[in-house]
mmCIF file of all heavy atoms in Angstrom:
data_model
loop_
_atom_site.group_PDB
_atom_site.id
_atom_site.type_symbol
_atom_site.label_atom_id
_atom_site.label_comp_id
_atom_site.label_asym_id
_atom_site.label_seq_id
_atom_site.Cartn_x
_atom_site.Cartn_y
_atom_site.Cartn_z
ATOM 1 N N MET B 54 10.135 -24.272 -7.130
ATOM 2 C CA MET B 54 10.097 -25.367 -6.157
ATOM 3 C C MET B 54 9.359 -24.945 -4.901
ATOM 4 O O MET B 54 8.932 -25.788 -4.102
ATOM 5 C CB MET B 54 11.507 -25.831 -5.841
ATOM 6 C CG MET B 54 12.239 -26.284 -7.080
ATOM 7 S SD MET B 54 13.946 -26.714 -6.739
ATOM 8 C CE MET B 54 13.699 -28.263 -5.849
ATOM 9 N N ILE B 55 9.290 -23.639 -4.627
ATOM 10 C CA ILE B 55 8.503 -23.156 -3.498
ATOM 11 C C ILE B 55 7.750 -21.906 -3.964
ATOM 12 O O ILE B 55 7.945 -21.402 -5.088
ATOM 13 C CB ILE B 55 9.413 -22.763 -2.311
ATOM 14 C CG1 ILE B 55 10.302 -21.545 -2.667
ATOM 15 C CG2 ILE B 55 10.255 -23.974 -1.872
ATOM 16 C CD1 ILE B 55 11.073 -21.019 -1.471
ATOM 17 N N ARG B 56 6.924 -21.358 -3.097
ATOM 18 C CA ARG B 56 6.222 -20.125 -3.436
ATOM 19 C C ARG B 56 6.485 -19.087 -2.410
ATOM 20 O O ARG B 56 6.589 -19.368 -1.224
ATOM 21 C CB ARG B 56 4.716 -20.379 -3.570
ATOM 22 C CG ARG B 56 4.292 -20.831 -4.931
ATOM 23 C CD ARG B 56 2.807 -21.148 -5.028
ATOM 24 N NE ARG B 56 1.994 -20.026 -4.697
ATOM 25 C CZ ARG B 56 0.651 -20.104 -4.570
ATOM 26 N NH1 ARG B 56 0.047 -21.242 -4.713
ATOM 27 N NH2 ARG B 56 -0.071 -19.037 -4.274
ATOM 28 N N LYS B 57 6.564 -17.884 -2.879
ATOM 29 C CA LYS B 57 6.761 -16.712 -2.047
ATOM 30 C C LYS B 57 5.406 -16.030 -1.845
ATOM 31 O O LYS B 57 4.735 -15.770 -2.847
ATOM 32 C CB LYS B 57 7.719 -15.743 -2.747
ATOM 33 C CG LYS B 57 8.660 -15.019 -1.860
ATOM 34 C CD LYS B 57 9.903 -14.491 -2.590
ATOM 35 C CE LYS B 57 9.666 -13.388 -3.593
ATOM 36 N NZ LYS B 57 10.883 -12.634 -3.903
ATOM 37 N N LEU B 58 5.027 -15.811 -0.603
ATOM 38 C CA LEU B 58 3.717 -15.167 -0.363
ATOM 39 C C LEU B 58 3.950 -13.785 0.189
ATOM 40 O O LEU B 58 4.574 -13.596 1.229
ATOM 41 C CB LEU B 58 2.904 -15.976 0.700
ATOM 42 C CG LEU B 58 2.715 -17.449 0.450
ATOM 43 C CD1 LEU B 58 1.915 -18.039 1.605
ATOM 44 C CD2 LEU B 58 2.016 -17.703 -0.863
ATOM 45 N N GLU B 59 3.453 -12.788 -0.533
ATOM 46 C CA GLU B 59 3.559 -11.457 0.013
ATOM 47 C C GLU B 59 2.091 -11.063 0.316
ATOM 48 O O GLU B 59 1.401 -10.507 -0.488
ATOM 49 C CB GLU B 59 4.211 -10.525 -0.996
ATOM 50 C CG GLU B 59 5.540 -11.176 -1.414
ATOM 51 C CD GLU B 59 6.356 -10.374 -2.386
ATOM 52 O OE1 GLU B 59 6.868 -9.324 -1.970
ATOM 53 O OE2 GLU B 59 6.540 -10.802 -3.531
ATOM 54 N N PHE B 60 1.692 -11.452 1.527
ATOM 55 C CA PHE B 60 0.325 -11.368 1.912
ATOM 56 C C PHE B 60 -0.028 -9.934 2.327
ATOM 57 O O PHE B 60 0.659 -9.326 3.120
ATOM 58 C CB PHE B 60 0.112 -12.279 3.116
ATOM 59 C CG PHE B 60 -1.209 -12.986 3.121
ATOM 60 C CD1 PHE B 60 -1.312 -14.278 2.715
ATOM 61 C CD2 PHE B 60 -2.332 -12.295 3.526
ATOM 62 C CE1 PHE B 60 -2.574 -14.916 2.723
ATOM 63 C CE2 PHE B 60 -3.569 -12.916 3.529
ATOM 64 C CZ PHE B 60 -3.671 -14.242 3.121
ATOM 65 N N GLY B 61 -1.112 -9.414 1.734
ATOM 66 C CA GLY B 61 -1.564 -8.087 2.126
ATOM 67 C C GLY B 61 -1.815 -7.999 3.616
ATOM 68 O O GLY B 61 -2.422 -8.910 4.176
ATOM 69 N N GLY B 62 -1.340 -6.951 4.236
ATOM 70 C CA GLY B 62 -1.556 -6.798 5.639
ATOM 71 C C GLY B 62 -0.415 -7.347 6.513
ATOM 72 O O GLY B 62 -0.291 -6.949 7.651
ATOM 73 N N ALA B 63 0.364 -8.212 5.932
ATOM 74 C CA ALA B 63 1.542 -8.717 6.658
ATOM 75 C C ALA B 63 2.784 -8.049 6.118
ATOM 76 O O ALA B 63 2.974 -7.963 4.895
ATOM 77 C CB ALA B 63 1.660 -10.221 6.501
ATOM 78 N N SER B 64 3.644 -7.584 6.983
ATOM 79 C CA SER B 64 4.794 -6.871 6.491
ATOM 80 C C SER B 64 5.858 -7.815 5.913
ATOM 81 O O SER B 64 6.524 -7.541 4.955
ATOM 82 C CB SER B 64 5.395 -6.036 7.636
ATOM 83 O OG SER B 64 5.494 -6.838 8.791
ATOM 84 N N ARG B 65 6.003 -8.954 6.576
ATOM 85 C CA ARG B 65 7.105 -9.853 6.182
ATOM 86 C C ARG B 65 6.709 -10.884 5.181
ATOM 87 O O ARG B 65 5.549 -11.347 5.117
ATOM 88 C CB ARG B 65 7.648 -10.555 7.424
ATOM 89 C CG ARG B 65 7.986 -9.525 8.561
ATOM 90 C CD ARG B 65 9.061 -9.932 9.471
ATOM 91 N NE ARG B 65 8.687 -11.055 10.359
ATOM 92 C CZ ARG B 65 7.657 -11.086 11.191
ATOM 93 N NH1 ARG B 65 6.757 -10.086 11.190
ATOM 94 N NH2 ARG B 65 7.442 -12.108 11.988
ATOM 95 N N MET B 66 7.656 -11.245 4.335
ATOM 96 C CA MET B 66 7.444 -12.271 3.325
ATOM 97 C C MET B 66 7.265 -13.600 3.990
ATOM 98 O O MET B 66 7.871 -13.895 4.999
ATOM 99 C CB MET B 66 8.668 -12.345 2.440
ATOM 100 C CG MET B 66 8.437 -11.808 1.080
ATOM 101 S SD MET B 66 9.864 -12.166 0.081
ATOM 102 C CE MET B 66 10.862 -10.736 0.382
ATOM 103 N N ARG B 67 6.450 -14.430 3.385
ATOM 104 C CA ARG B 67 6.272 -15.782 3.878
ATOM 105 C C ARG B 67 6.476 -16.810 2.780
ATOM 106 O O ARG B 67 6.360 -16.453 1.613
ATOM 107 C CB ARG B 67 4.882 -15.973 4.501
ATOM 108 C CG ARG B 67 4.725 -15.184 5.798
ATOM 109 C CD ARG B 67 3.306 -15.128 6.294
ATOM 110 N NE ARG B 67 3.302 -14.702 7.687
ATOM 111 C CZ ARG B 67 3.359 -15.506 8.722
ATOM 112 N NH1 ARG B 67 3.453 -16.819 8.555
ATOM 113 N NH2 ARG B 67 3.332 -15.021 9.946
ATOM 114 N N PHE B 68 6.794 -18.012 3.125
ATOM 115 C CA PHE B 68 7.182 -19.009 2.136
ATOM 116 C C PHE B 68 6.325 -20.281 2.306
ATOM 117 O O PHE B 68 5.884 -20.613 3.386
ATOM 118 C CB PHE B 68 8.665 -19.337 2.263
ATOM 119 C CG PHE B 68 9.517 -18.128 1.969
ATOM 120 C CD1 PHE B 68 9.847 -17.216 2.994
ATOM 121 C CD2 PHE B 68 9.891 -17.790 0.671
ATOM 122 C CE1 PHE B 68 10.582 -16.068 2.741
ATOM 123 C CE2 PHE B 68 10.613 -16.671 0.424
ATOM 124 C CZ PHE B 68 10.972 -15.801 1.441
ATOM 125 N N ASP B 69 6.104 -20.914 1.161
ATOM 126 C CA ASP B 69 5.169 -22.042 1.133
ATOM 127 C C ASP B 69 5.748 -23.142 0.224
ATOM 128 O O ASP B 69 6.147 -22.864 -0.917
ATOM 129 C CB ASP B 69 3.845 -21.508 0.487
ATOM 130 C CG ASP B 69 2.703 -22.470 0.601
ATOM 131 O OD1 ASP B 69 2.987 -23.694 0.832
ATOM 132 O OD2 ASP B 69 1.558 -22.057 0.483
ATOM 133 N N ALA B 70 5.875 -24.348 0.737
ATOM 134 C CA ALA B 70 6.430 -25.428 -0.031
ATOM 135 C C ALA B 70 5.404 -26.061 -0.942
ATOM 136 O O ALA B 70 5.738 -26.875 -1.773
ATOM 137 C CB ALA B 70 7.026 -26.479 0.923
ATOM 138 N N THR B 71 4.151 -25.706 -0.770
ATOM 139 C CA THR B 71 3.098 -26.237 -1.625
ATOM 140 C C THR B 71 2.968 -25.366 -2.869
ATOM 141 O O THR B 71 2.559 -24.182 -2.730
ATOM 142 C CB THR B 71 1.756 -26.268 -0.872
ATOM 143 O OG1 THR B 71 1.903 -26.978 0.358
ATOM 144 C CG2 THR B 71 0.696 -26.935 -1.721
ATOM 145 N N VAL B 72 3.353 -25.896 -4.039
ATOM 146 C CA VAL B 72 3.314 -25.084 -5.223
ATOM 147 C C VAL B 72 2.076 -25.269 -6.045
ATOM 148 O O VAL B 72 1.790 -24.491 -6.932
ATOM 149 C CB VAL B 72 4.590 -25.312 -6.076
ATOM 150 C CG1 VAL B 72 5.827 -24.786 -5.419
ATOM 151 C CG2 VAL B 72 4.750 -26.804 -6.416
ATOM 152 N N SER B 73 1.306 -26.343 -5.729
ATOM 153 C CA SER B 73 0.101 -26.529 -6.499
ATOM 154 C C SER B 73 -0.898 -25.430 -6.115
ATOM 155 O O SER B 73 -0.792 -24.831 -5.071
ATOM 156 C CB SER B 73 -0.495 -27.911 -6.171
ATOM 157 O OG SER B 73 -0.775 -28.029 -4.806
ATOM 158 N N ARG B 74 -1.893 -25.227 -6.951
ATOM 159 C CA ARG B 74 -2.821 -24.138 -6.794
ATOM 160 C C ARG B 74 -3.673 -24.276 -5.547
ATOM 161 O O ARG B 74 -4.342 -25.291 -5.366
ATOM 162 C CB ARG B 74 -3.688 -24.098 -8.067
ATOM 163 C CG ARG B 74 -4.960 -23.239 -7.951
ATOM 164 C CD ARG B 74 -5.442 -22.837 -9.314
ATOM 165 N NE ARG B 74 -4.744 -21.605 -9.696
ATOM 166 C CZ ARG B 74 -5.370 -20.439 -9.777
ATOM 167 N NH1 ARG B 74 -6.620 -20.310 -9.484
ATOM 168 N NH2 ARG B 74 -4.677 -19.360 -10.151
ATOM 169 N N HIS B 75 -3.614 -23.290 -4.740
ATOM 170 C CA HIS B 75 -4.472 -23.270 -3.550
ATOM 171 C C HIS B 75 -4.536 -21.807 -3.052
ATOM 172 O O HIS B 75 -3.809 -20.941 -3.541
ATOM 173 C CB HIS B 75 -3.910 -24.194 -2.478
ATOM 174 C CG HIS B 75 -2.588 -23.747 -1.916
ATOM 175 N ND1 HIS B 75 -1.434 -23.925 -2.638
ATOM 176 C CD2 HIS B 75 -2.215 -23.153 -0.775
ATOM 177 C CE1 HIS B 75 -0.414 -23.444 -1.900
ATOM 178 N NE2 HIS B 75 -0.904 -22.952 -0.778
ATOM 179 N N SER B 76 -5.371 -21.570 -2.093
ATOM 180 C CA SER B 76 -5.510 -20.218 -1.588
ATOM 181 C C SER B 76 -5.191 -20.203 -0.124
ATOM 182 O O SER B 76 -4.865 -21.232 0.469
ATOM 183 C CB SER B 76 -6.949 -19.729 -1.829
ATOM 184 O OG SER B 76 -7.026 -18.352 -1.507
ATOM 185 N N HIS B 77 -5.230 -19.020 0.487
ATOM 186 C CA HIS B 77 -4.873 -18.859 1.904
ATOM 187 C C HIS B 77 -5.916 -18.057 2.611
ATOM 188 O O HIS B 77 -6.596 -17.235 2.063
ATOM 189 C CB HIS B 77 -3.527 -18.159 2.016
ATOM 190 C CG HIS B 77 -2.413 -18.936 1.377
ATOM 191 N ND1 HIS B 77 -1.859 -18.580 0.171
ATOM 192 C CD2 HIS B 77 -1.772 -20.046 1.768
ATOM 193 C CE1 HIS B 77 -0.927 -19.446 -0.172
ATOM 194 N NE2 HIS B 77 -0.832 -20.349 0.803
ATOM 195 N N ILE B 78 -6.009 -18.367 3.918
ATOM 196 C CA ILE B 78 -6.832 -17.545 4.792
ATOM 197 C C ILE B 78 -5.982 -17.142 5.966
ATOM 198 O O ILE B 78 -5.247 -17.940 6.529
ATOM 199 C CB ILE B 78 -8.147 -18.267 5.206
ATOM 200 C CG1 ILE B 78 -8.986 -17.331 6.084
ATOM 201 C CG2 ILE B 78 -7.856 -19.593 5.912
ATOM 202 C CD1 ILE B 78 -10.453 -17.743 6.139
ATOM 203 N N ARG B 79 -6.084 -15.849 6.320
ATOM 204 C CA ARG B 79 -5.232 -15.342 7.378
ATOM 205 C C ARG B 79 -6.068 -14.850 8.542
ATOM 206 O O ARG B 79 -7.099 -14.162 8.361
ATOM 207 C CB ARG B 79 -4.391 -14.164 6.859
ATOM 208 C CG ARG B 79 -3.474 -13.519 7.924
ATOM 209 C CD ARG B 79 -2.545 -12.453 7.280
ATOM 210 N NE ARG B 79 -3.326 -11.507 6.487
ATOM 211 C CZ ARG B 79 -3.762 -10.364 6.971
ATOM 212 N NH1 ARG B 79 -3.553 -9.971 8.207
ATOM 213 N NH2 ARG B 79 -4.447 -9.537 6.170
ATOM 214 N N CYS B 80 -5.627 -15.199 9.732
ATOM 215 C CA CYS B 80 -6.351 -14.748 10.928
ATOM 216 C C CYS B 80 -5.948 -13.307 11.240
ATOM 217 O O CYS B 80 -4.768 -12.991 11.428
ATOM 218 C CB CYS B 80 -6.051 -15.649 12.104
ATOM 219 S SG CYS B 80 -6.890 -15.118 13.625
ATOM 220 N N VAL B 81 -6.963 -12.410 11.293
ATOM 221 C CA VAL B 81 -6.638 -11.011 11.578
ATOM 222 C C VAL B 81 -6.203 -10.798 12.989
ATOM 223 O O VAL B 81 -5.602 -9.763 13.310
ATOM 224 C CB VAL B 81 -7.851 -10.098 11.252
ATOM 225 C CG1 VAL B 81 -8.217 -10.159 9.784
ATOM 226 C CG2 VAL B 81 -9.065 -10.470 12.096
ATOM 227 N N ALA B 82 -6.474 -11.757 13.855
ATOM 228 C CA ALA B 82 -6.092 -11.594 15.260
ATOM 229 C C ALA B 82 -4.667 -12.075 15.558
ATOM 230 O O ALA B 82 -3.893 -11.338 16.152
ATOM 231 C CB ALA B 82 -7.111 -12.342 16.171
ATOM 232 N N CYS B 83 -4.332 -13.269 15.097
ATOM 233 C CA CYS B 83 -3.023 -13.815 15.445
ATOM 234 C C CYS B 83 -2.084 -13.917 14.292
ATOM 235 O O CYS B 83 -0.878 -14.250 14.496
ATOM 236 C CB CYS B 83 -3.190 -15.197 16.107
ATOM 237 S SG CYS B 83 -3.754 -16.496 14.991
ATOM 238 N N GLY B 84 -2.497 -13.645 13.046
ATOM 239 C CA GLY B 84 -1.607 -13.668 11.909
ATOM 240 C C GLY B 84 -1.360 -15.005 11.294
ATOM 241 O O GLY B 84 -0.674 -15.142 10.305
ATOM 242 N N ARG B 85 -1.938 -16.025 11.886
ATOM 243 C CA ARG B 85 -1.822 -17.381 11.365
ATOM 244 C C ARG B 85 -2.346 -17.456 9.909
ATOM 245 O O ARG B 85 -3.383 -16.838 9.611
ATOM 246 C CB ARG B 85 -2.578 -18.333 12.281
ATOM 247 C CG ARG B 85 -2.776 -19.685 11.740
ATOM 248 C CD ARG B 85 -3.546 -20.568 12.766
ATOM 249 N NE ARG B 85 -3.924 -21.800 12.129
ATOM 250 C CZ ARG B 85 -4.303 -22.879 12.770
ATOM 251 N NH1 ARG B 85 -4.363 -22.859 14.095
ATOM 252 N NH2 ARG B 85 -4.632 -23.978 12.140
ATOM 253 N N ILE B 86 -1.681 -18.228 9.103
ATOM 254 C CA ILE B 86 -2.133 -18.413 7.718
ATOM 255 C C ILE B 86 -2.349 -19.870 7.435
ATOM 256 O O ILE B 86 -1.451 -20.682 7.647
ATOM 257 C CB ILE B 86 -1.082 -17.819 6.730
ATOM 258 C CG1 ILE B 86 -0.944 -16.307 6.910
ATOM 259 C CG2 ILE B 86 -1.495 -18.149 5.287
ATOM 260 C CD1 ILE B 86 0.138 -15.681 6.034
ATOM 261 N N ASP B 87 -3.511 -20.221 6.921
ATOM 262 C CA ASP B 87 -3.807 -21.579 6.590
ATOM 263 C C ASP B 87 -4.086 -21.728 5.078
ATOM 264 O O ASP B 87 -4.539 -20.805 4.431
ATOM 265 C CB ASP B 87 -5.064 -22.080 7.353
ATOM 266 C CG ASP B 87 -4.727 -22.512 8.760
ATOM 267 O OD1 ASP B 87 -3.886 -23.417 8.892
ATOM 268 O OD2 ASP B 87 -5.325 -21.971 9.697
ATOM 269 N N ASP B 88 -3.763 -22.920 4.573
ATOM 270 C CA ASP B 88 -4.122 -23.240 3.203
ATOM 271 C C ASP B 88 -5.569 -23.668 3.091
ATOM 272 O O ASP B 88 -6.111 -24.154 4.075
ATOM 273 C CB ASP B 88 -3.279 -24.482 2.742
ATOM 274 C CG ASP B 88 -1.821 -24.153 2.556
ATOM 275 O OD1 ASP B 88 -1.521 -23.040 2.111
ATOM 276 O OD2 ASP B 88 -0.969 -25.027 2.877
ATOM 277 N N PHE B 89 -6.094 -23.471 1.927
ATOM 278 C CA PHE B 89 -7.366 -24.183 1.632
ATOM 279 C C PHE B 89 -7.537 -24.236 0.101
ATOM 280 O O PHE B 89 -7.020 -23.395 -0.615
ATOM 281 C CB PHE B 89 -8.570 -23.575 2.365
ATOM 282 C CG PHE B 89 -9.097 -22.349 1.708
ATOM 283 C CD1 PHE B 89 -10.124 -22.447 0.791
ATOM 284 C CD2 PHE B 89 -8.613 -21.123 2.027
ATOM 285 C CE1 PHE B 89 -10.653 -21.312 0.207
ATOM 286 C CE2 PHE B 89 -9.122 -20.001 1.463
ATOM 287 C CZ PHE B 89 -10.115 -20.089 0.512
ATOM 288 N N PRO B 90 -8.243 -25.288 -0.368
ATOM 289 C CA PRO B 90 -8.348 -25.497 -1.802
ATOM 290 C C PRO B 90 -9.168 -24.405 -2.462
ATOM 291 O O PRO B 90 -10.189 -23.954 -1.897
ATOM 292 C CB PRO B 90 -9.030 -26.858 -1.913
ATOM 293 C CG PRO B 90 -9.681 -27.083 -0.574
ATOM 294 C CD PRO B 90 -8.907 -26.358 0.428
#
Side-chain angles (χ1 to χ4, degrees):
Chain B
M54 303 175 71
I55 66 173
R56 274 176 60 187
K57 216 159 65 161
L58 308 179
E59 309 182 67
F60 216 101
S64 46
R65 307 209 291 306
M66 252 187 271
R67 288 171 167 269
F68 298 88
D69 191 341
T71 306
V72 291
S73 61
R74 165 159 274 252
H75 65 284
S76 188
H77 298 103
I78 182 160
R79 179 173 52 93
C80 178
V81 295
C83 69
R85 169 178 170 163
I86 296 177
D87 278 303
D88 289 324
F89 78 93

